[in-house]
Amino acid sequence: MSSLDPSHVSQKPVETIHPDNLPEESRHPDVVAKALHALVEHSGKHENVAASIHAPMHRLLEMPYVSKLVPGIEQLAAEYHVGNYVEMRGTGERFFESMPVYPRLGMHLLFYGGAQVKVLHNQTVETVLKDLSIRQGKIYDSPESVKSIPSFIETYHLQLDDLLEPDITKYGTFNEFFSRRLKPDARPVQNEDDPKNICSAADCRLTVYPTIDLAKEIWIKGANFSIPSLLNVSPDSELAQTFADASLVVFRLAPADYHRFHSPIDGVVGEVVDIPGQYYTVNPQAVNEPGFDVFTANKRSVLYMTHAGTGKPVAYVAIGAMLVGSIVWTNGANKGSTVKRGDELGHFAYGGSTIVALFPKGLMEFDEDLVKNSQKPIETLMKVGYSLGKTV
């Protein structure tokens, strides 16, 4: 996401998203669904991503095309900053991430999810979001999509120095670039010599909670969030009991992030279980909203691993999101294989997405700075290999 100077952000409030915030003529979910459809189709025809789905909310006054689709949304952008704060690890510096237009519109539709409201050719909100996610994946899998790579790099100020292939003309599709690989030494594992250390699984914005109850109190406000619902198992199952009151890590990958994900532990790869679901946005405001259960409603894929040092299980939940085409396991698909901290497990196709890692009660002690930030609450900007804490 585009970042803004904190001093500039203080000049107007940060929006708490609500359906009534859009002008009355644009509130009906059908207006928003049609706008999202048009923006997705626009992304396949025009090379500038910032003029379609990635239009930054703080720049909508410069983008009449978006305002024409959702009349009055530019006024919302003029009155509020739309997005959230993130803190840099180590420096304590905070910056504001401006939300692109597509998750903001996705948030609006979330208020109508599960309802009998019909939109865009008499479909449910859930069907529309699924169809748009599949369509966006096809657009960015096409050879013509390479034309959007330069504007994506410019929009998100991406650095190419760490890429295994820094020549962007070598990528055959936008999605090939989106799931780009890094040089082998680009993400060193902190405290690699300490077998008790656990590391970040992704370049991400991160929150950690020693208990599920604390996570629900502070961050994950969905009324139906629970370990059984996240793992899609019975409450009296062995897995539900194993991870009862587990420690939890949320790794949120924004569109700008490197989208391959890695092992946080030294361990053994186990079974992968795919769980069908929705394609809601996983933006922090959606996670923090009591009426939404995005983590347990969305499409997800669970990798069960065994921690080498303790023999304890770890659940690694890759969660799809709005406009995410697929979850792809690479080394994570090799059941029975051994992985080290920082080894690649898989990647997401296009879109922002999330990983939730569960550690059995008493296994983990998180680094103090991450705990403090999460209790404020504010996400911490992390990279693959950064320390999360230690096993105890």
Side-chain angles (χ1 to χ4, degrees), residues 84-359:
N84 56 284
Y85 285 98
V86 178
E87 186 165 306
M88 301 281 289
R89 192 172 199 187
T91 67
E93 177 188 354
R94 293 186 178 191
F95 63 95
F96 188 82
E97 285 191 326
S98 179
M99 193 184 297
V101 69
Y102 81 87
R104 176 60 187 85
L105 297 180
M107 276 287 295
H108 187 82
L109 289 181
L110 257 177
F111 286 97
Y112 300 92
Q116 297 304 309
V117 178
K118 299 296 184 180
V119 297
L120 200 63
H121 312 305
N122 204 34
Q123 299 179 96
T124 64
V125 165
E126 288 75 16
T127 300
V128 167
L129 292 176
K130 179 180 179 179
D131 289 350
L132 289 178
S133 297
I134 293 171
R135 174 60 179 151
Q136 189 68 71
K138 288 180 178 179
I139 288 172
Y140 280 158
D141 275 336
S142 69
E144 294 79 14
S145 64
V146 295
K147 67 182 183 294
S148 295
I149 294 175
S151 68
F152 186 78
I153 292 170
E154 181 180 357
T155 297
Y156 290 108
H157 312 292
L158 302 185
Q159 301 297 315
L160 306 182
D161 297 350
D162 287 342
L163 299 192
L164 187 62
E165 178 50 81
D167 183 354
I168 64 173
T169 66
K170 298 292 181 64
Y171 294 93
T173 67
F174 181 91
N175 255 337
E176 279 188 20
F177 177 77
F178 189 78
S179 59
R180 55 200 177 273
R181 295 181 184 273
L182 302 184
K183 295 174 183 176
D185 59 350
R187 296 292 185 270
V189 174
Q190 291 183 342
N191 307 315
E192 188 174 12
D193 295 335
D194 183 351
K196 290 187 174 184
N197 190 254
I198 307 291
C199 76
S200 177
D203 284 15
C204 63
R205 294 92 175 98
L206 176 140
T207 48
V208 300
Y209 295 99
T211 69
I212 296 298
D213 285 346
L214 195 60
K216 291 171 68 174
E217 177 186 340
I218 297 174
W219 193 251
I220 306 173
K221 298 295 182 65
N224 297 316
F225 180 81
S226 68
I227 295 302
S229 58
L230 179 67
L231 300 180
N232 198 36
V233 298
S234 169
D236 59 0
S237 67
E238 184 178 346
L239 277 170
Q241 300 307 311
T242 296
F243 291 104
D245 207 22
S247 299
L248 175 146
V249 187
V250 180
F251 308 88
R252 180 176 67 88
L253 287 71
D257 288 324
Y258 161 67
H259 262 66
R260 290 185 178 264
F261 45 81
H262 297 250
S263 178
I265 63 170
D266 296 337
V268 178
V269 173
E271 184 180 9
V272 171
V273 178
D274 292 323
I275 303 169
Q278 307 303 333
Y279 291 78
Y280 298 134
T281 176
V282 291
N283 183 270
Q285 286 211 34
V287 177
N288 300 159
E289 173 63 42
F292 303 157
D293 288 287
V294 294
F295 287 164
T296 55
N298 275 19
K299 169 185 176 180
R300 54 203 184 278
S301 188
V302 185
L303 170 63
Y304 292 99
M305 305 178 71
T306 303
H307 181 246
T310 63
K312 297 283 188 179
V314 173
Y316 190 103
V317 187
I319 302 174
M322 183 181 173
L323 302 189
V324 172
S326 57
I327 300 164
V328 180
W329 295 102
T330 52
N331 293 328
N334 300 326
K335 186 176 180 179
S337 64
T338 299
V339 291
K340 295 289 189 182
R341 280 165 287 158
D343 285 353
E344 182 186 308
L345 293 177
H347 65 86
F348 292 104
Y350 172 75
S353 27
T354 292
I355 298 155
V356 174
L358 302 176
F359 299 91

Side-chain angles (χ1 to χ4, degrees), residues 87 94 206-211 213-215 217-219 221 366-380:
E87 186 165 306
R94 293 186 178 191
L206 176 140
T207 48
V208 300
Y209 295 99
T211 69
D213 285 346
L214 195 60
E217 177 186 340
I218 297 174
W219 193 251
K221 298 295 182 65
F366 294 120
D367 289 341
E368 186 177 355
D369 64 320
L370 301 179
V371 173
K372 286 183 176 179
N373 280 355
S374 300
Q375 290 179 345
K376 289 176 182 176
I378 188 171
E379 296 171 306
T380 305

